[in-house]
């Protein structure tokens, strides 16, 4: 079960709206959607969660680049919503890299399934990780909500109803509940 909401900060406080992400395909689309919810280029938070799996926060301040935090990148990578947030830049990947360069591969006779000594760890197990794998655990800007009262330590320790806890600190719990 997924939940996505926009929290827009106004001079009167936070305004919440639930949002459908079905037409959102990229982070740019998501940032544009957030900017439309901001009356005067105010701060907008896009809050996304998969119940019991992961949560993400995207912060858009006017025309600045979005700031992103994802609580568990590996879990989010298995979600269409998570894939929107997990950009190459966020994961530290070379943008546009589609995989290994086949011309650069060293085909030394081990391609028939026998692992090369360099491909095994000290315990002899095959190394199945790669530079393009998605890390388990949090990724992104853990200070995304620091100036709003949610410290890096607090953000990283959230579990359960993380979005509710964030909204509580922001003073937006009631408005968030109206769209849940």
């Amino acid at each position: 079960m997924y939940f996505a909401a926009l929290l827009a900060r106004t001079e009167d406080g936070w305004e919440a709206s639930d949002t459908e992400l079905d037409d959102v395909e990229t982070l740019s689309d998501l940032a544009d959607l957030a900017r439309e919810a901001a009356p005067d280029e105010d701060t907008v938070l896009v809050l996304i969660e998969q119940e019991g799996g992961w949560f993400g926060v995207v912060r858009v301040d006017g025309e600045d680049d979005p700031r992103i935090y994802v609580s568990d990148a590996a879990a989010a990578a298995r979600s269409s919503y998570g894939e929107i947030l997990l950009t190459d830049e966020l994961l530290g990947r070379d943008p546009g890299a589609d995989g290994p360069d086949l011309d650069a591969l060293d085909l030394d006779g081990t391609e028939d399934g026998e692992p090369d000594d360099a491909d095994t760890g000290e315990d002899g197990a095959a190394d199945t990780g790669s530079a393009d794998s998605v890390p388990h655990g949090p990724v992104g800007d853990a200070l995304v909500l620091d100036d709003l009262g949610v410290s890096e330590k607090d953000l990283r320790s959230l579990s359960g109803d993380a979005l509710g806890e964030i909204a509580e600190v922001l003073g937006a719990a009631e408005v968030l509940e109206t769209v849940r």
Side-chain angles (χ1 to χ4, degrees), residues 1-179:
M1 175 90 150
Y2 290 96
F3 172 72
L6 297 173
L7 280 181
R9 185 165 62 175
T10 68
E11 55 186 54
D12 297 327
W14 291 97
E15 292 180 6
S17 57
D18 61 343
T19 186
E20 286 294 323
L21 299 180
D22 294 340
D23 295 331
V24 174
E25 295 180 12
T26 66
L27 182 60
S28 294
D29 294 343
L30 188 61
D32 290 344
L33 182 69
R35 286 184 185 104
E36 290 172 11
D40 296 315
E41 294 193 8
D42 291 323
T43 297
V44 178
L45 302 176
V46 181
L47 305 174
I48 302 172
E49 73 179 347
Q50 178 185 8
E51 189 175 315
W54 63 276
F55 71 91
V57 177
V58 178
R59 179 176 178 162
V60 178
D61 293 302
E63 292 301 317
D64 292 348
D65 288 339
R67 296 169 58 195
I68 307 163
Y69 176 82
V70 176
S71 67
D72 186 339
R78 296 185 295 270
S79 154
S80 58
Y81 293 156
E83 288 177 353
I84 294 169
L85 306 181
L86 297 174
T87 63
D88 287 336
E89 182 180 346
L90 187 70
L91 296 173
R93 294 181 182 163
D94 183 19
D98 292 331
D101 178 5
L102 297 180
D103 294 331
L105 290 178
D106 182 17
L107 300 178
D108 59 0
T110 61
E111 65 270 16
D112 59 0
E114 293 297 318
D116 187 13
D117 289 341
D119 293 337
T120 58
E122 289 180 19
D123 61 359
D127 178 12
T128 58
S130 73
D132 290 335
S133 65
V134 177
H136 290 275
V139 295
D141 184 355
L143 297 173
V144 68
L145 300 172
D146 193 58
D147 65 322
L148 299 175
V150 182
S151 71
E152 175 180 3
K153 179 183 174 190
D154 293 339
L155 189 62
R156 290 184 186 273
S157 68
L158 291 175
S159 61
D161 183 18
L163 300 187
E165 292 178 43
I166 289 169
E168 185 71 37
V169 172
L170 299 177
E174 288 182 24
V175 295
L176 183 64
E177 281 305 311
T178 62
V179 297

